[in-house]
Amino acid sequence: MIGFTGVALVRADNERDDPAAFARCLADPAARLLVLTGLEPPVAEDGALQLAAMDPARRDALLLGYLEGAPLFVAGEGDGSAPAMRSPALMAALAEMPAADVALYGIARSLVDWHSRHGFCARCGHASVVARGGWARSCPGCGALHFPRTDPVVIMAVEHDDRVLLGRQPSWPAGRYSALAGFVEVGESIEEAVAREVLEEAGVAVAGVRYVASQPWPFPSQLMIACIATAADDALRIDATELEDAFWATRDEVRAALAGDTTRFIAPPGHAIARSLLMAWVVG
Amino acid sequence: MIGFTGVALVRADNERDDPAAFARCLADPAARLLVLTGLEPPVAEDGALQLAAMDPARRDALLLGYLEGAPLFVAGEGDGSAPAMRSPALMAALAEMPAADVALYGIARSLVDWHSRHGFCARCGHASVVARGGWARSCPGCGALHFPRTDPVVIMAVEHDDRVLLGRQPSWPAGRYSALAGFVEVGESIEEAVAREVLEEAGVAVAGVRYVASQPWPFPSQLMIACIATAADDALRIDATELEDAFWATRDEVRAALAGDTTRFIAPPGHAIARSLLMAWVVG
């Protein structure tokens, strides 16, 4: 299972422009509410995501969709802009949470976070308001409609001579190495973004980019696109502003790290697609 | 060749925060300028994109990067917000243009268009200013840094029993049919977005999503992600707000349409990845 996927949420896009449908959901006695505090999830004693009964008088909730047939709302409380990155405590909580709950939390977090950081119209500067049941913001000033951002990011296992290129960023925990990654920019394909990022960060030319899998990553709202690519040669020219270090890992070294052996390096954590990508690379 | 890809632009991300590098590019006698008027491209007599010499006194140009070793700037003139969608005249001009020029135009258009529609900080409403040589906007009010949007879109050839599902939107030219498509939302993978969109638009459950190819689409700045998926059955329940019509096309029908036969339907145009996707599906 890929992290942050696998929740059977029915998003009901066709109802988002229908105020009567929203009112029906609000009044539904089966409706539930997920409250994020400072973007952190409410966790029950058994480790699952804790949902409350919806309060129909509440006016700040966004309608995520339907879960198990019942409307599900989300609301953010506290300072939503505080934890820009995920805390170790959060990642530990997610590691114990059922996969579907992790995915649901990801959707909720990205949506609440986007609203908290997009209170104004980028076109005219006017304060914007929630629209489409929570899935957009509209501007009373100029009429513009703004949709939540989803930023595509490529992450790639670059291979050469049966080894894979791993790098580490200075901000990571000591010993952690992972696949290189970077944002897809306007005007480039996934394949072009992979080639550009590997050349920029490691000075390596690649070809033969193959798609492996994808994952949403809610810190704040990336679409991670995992690929395998082949390097023309193994000489590295590391961009020190992006990477602190990089090396070519053997299949045995990657296999050992994925099994928990930290001798050579510490593998990416469970919910990261980098881990799934390295697992895919190890088995060829 | 996939449309809007294949230009050897060196984006030089590592120089974007360096004002001295920008000044060097501005003063470089080899520097060139691409001027978009109302977002439309300047076309030379031979059909190629027309680049002018850079005017070092010009202060409104964005630095795209390096092309053939020389700095390349872009500037927008006229009402950049006017042509929200591509005009038939524009698509005809692009059909005659060298592939690398089409790709370069796509990058330039997406970037200029994004600046023209994002003059204010979404976080605090203050007027924002160009940053990072043209690849971001910064807010003098709150310090936020905003990056150009790239919105991932899935487009899928849904197959069942050797036929493929095609649909048409009311706004399309008469007779045109194409693969279904839709924006990837926050909190979902590519595979989940494919399944959701096909279920929403056509009432069909799919499995076995396979990635085929990707393409940037500069109207305004999508990342098109083309996939093939398999439908569980062929009963359609069309969402009339999304699709005007849909049908299952045989391999022979798709082959004929791609060859220019408009009897059954008109195939997607050359630069659209829908065309590459249907070509990939036809050959299996």
Side-chain angles (χ1 to χ4, degrees):
Chain A
M1 170 62 79
I2 304 276
F4 294 102
T5 66
V7 64
L9 177 75
V10 176
R11 292 173 181 239
D13 172 78
N14 59 335
E15 293 184 9
R16 290 178 186 164
D17 283 323
D18 181 358
F22 190 88
R24 259 199 319 275
C25 287
L26 208 54
D28 189 332
R32 286 174 293 174
L33 174 68
L34 171 59
V35 178
L36 304 186
T37 306
L39 296 180
E40 301 278 311
V43 181
E45 273 191 26
D46 63 358
L49 208 54
Q50 193 153 38
L51 303 179
M54 179 59 188
D55 171 4
R58 190 155 187 153
R59 287 291 167 268
D60 65 338
L62 318 169
L63 180 56
L64 282 181
Y66 296 88
L67 192 66
E68 295 159 352
L72 178 63
F73 291 85
V74 64
E77 295 188 348
D79 183 5
S81 65
M85 281 308 286
R86 64 270 180 198
S87 64
L90 170 60
M91 296 314 279
L94 294 180
E96 300 300 318
M97 198 179 276
D101 286 10
V102 172
L104 185 61
Y105 168 64
I107 301 169
R109 178 181 171 120
S110 284
L111 196 61
V112 168
D113 188 19
W114 177 76
H115 281 286
S116 80
R117 291 181 296 109
H118 293 78
F120 296 84
C121 177
R123 197 165 83 176
C124 78
H126 200 289
S128 60
V129 296
V130 174
R132 305 200 79 227
W135 286 92
R137 300 188 69 87
S138 66
C139 176
C142 73
L145 198 58
H146 300 280
F147 294 91
R149 275 183 85 120
T150 302
D151 295 305
V153 168
V154 287
I155 179 163
M156 40 274 171
V158 177
E159 58 182 4
H160 184 270
D161 199 14
D162 219 37
R163 294 174 302 161
V164 67
L165 180 58
L166 300 180
R168 62 170 273 109
Q169 294 173 20
S171 62
W172 290 356
R176 164 75 48 78
Y177 281 78
S178 186
L180 305 194
F183 287 93
V184 178
E185 294 196 340
V186 295
E188 65 185 359
S189 67
I190 289 170
E191 292 74 11
E192 290 176 327
V194 167
R196 177 184 54 74
E197 283 288 345
V198 178
L199 193 61
E200 282 178 4
E201 295 192 0
V204 172
V206 301
V209 177
R210 288 153 283 159
Y211 172 86
V212 175
S214 70
Q215 170 193 62
W217 187 248
F219 309 104
S221 60
Q222 281 85 278
L223 172 66
M224 306 298 298
I225 303 169
C227 298
I228 292 177
T230 306
D233 72 82
D234 63 359
L236 299 178
R237 198 186 64 246
I238 296 170
D239 177 357
T241 63
E242 298 271 351
L243 295 178
E244 186 180 80
D245 185 32
F247 75 100
W248 294 96
T250 66
R251 227 169 269 271
D252 281 344
E253 286 172 333
V254 175
R255 200 176 286 119
L258 288 172
D261 180 345
T262 62
T263 314
R264 184 67 184 88
F265 72 98
I266 299 173
H271 288 302
I273 200 167
R275 190 178 179 90
S276 312
L277 176 60
L278 291 180
M279 287 170 76
W281 180 77
V282 157
V283 299
Chain B
M1 172 61 81
I2 303 277
F4 293 102
T5 65
V7 65
L9 177 75
V10 177
R11 293 174 180 238
D13 172 79
N14 59 334
E15 293 185 8
R16 290 179 186 163
D17 282 323
D18 180 0
F22 190 89
R24 260 197 320 274
C25 288
L26 208 54
D28 190 331
R32 287 174 293 174
L33 173 68
L34 171 59
V35 178
L36 304 186
T37 307
L39 296 180
E40 301 279 311
V43 180
E45 274 192 24
D46 64 358
L49 208 54
Q50 193 153 37
L51 303 180
M54 180 59 189
D55 171 4
R58 190 154 187 155
R59 287 291 169 268
D60 65 338
L62 317 169
L63 179 56
L64 282 180
Y66 296 87
L67 191 66
E68 294 158 354
L72 178 62
F73 291 85
V74 63
E77 296 188 346
D79 182 4
S81 64
M85 281 308 285
R86 63 268 180 199
S87 66
L90 170 60
M91 295 314 279
L94 295 181
E96 301 300 318
M97 197 177 277
D101 286 11
V102 172
L104 185 61
Y105 167 65
I107 301 169
R109 177 182 172 120
S110 285
L111 196 61
V112 168
D113 188 18
W114 178 75
H115 281 286
S116 78
R117 292 183 294 108
H118 292 78
F120 296 84
C121 176
R123 197 165 83 175
C124 77
H126 199 288
S128 60
V129 297
V130 174
R132 306 201 80 225
W135 286 92
R137 299 188 69 86
S138 65
C139 177
C142 73
L145 199 58
H146 301 281
F147 294 91
R149 274 183 86 117
T150 302
D151 295 305
V153 168
V154 287
I155 179 163
M156 42 271 171
V158 177
E159 60 182 2
H160 183 270
D161 200 14
D162 220 35
R163 294 174 303 162
V164 68
L165 180 58
L166 301 179
R168 62 170 272 107
Q169 294 174 18
S171 62
W172 290 357
R176 164 75 48 77
Y177 281 78
S178 187
L180 306 193
F183 286 93
V184 178
E185 294 195 340
V186 295
E188 65 185 359
S189 67
I190 290 170
E191 293 73 12
E192 289 176 326
V194 167
R196 178 183 55 74
E197 283 288 344
V198 178
L199 192 62
E200 281 177 5
E201 295 191 1
V204 172
V206 301
V209 177
R210 288 154 283 160
Y211 173 86
V212 175
S214 69
Q215 171 193 60
W217 187 247
F219 310 105
S221 59
Q222 281 85 278
L223 172 66
M224 306 297 299
I225 303 168
C227 299
I228 293 178
T230 306
D233 72 83
D234 62 359
L236 298 178
R237 197 186 65 245
I238 296 172
D239 176 357
T241 62
E242 298 272 351
L243 295 178
E244 185 181 81
D245 186 32
F247 75 101
W248 294 95
T250 66
R251 229 169 268 270
D252 281 346
E253 286 172 333
V254 174
R255 201 177 283 118
L258 288 172
D261 180 344
T262 61
T263 314
R264 185 66 184 91
F265 73 98
I266 299 173
H271 287 303
I273 201 167
R275 190 178 180 91
S276 312
L277 176 60
L278 290 180
M279 288 171 74
W281 178 77
V282 156
V283 301

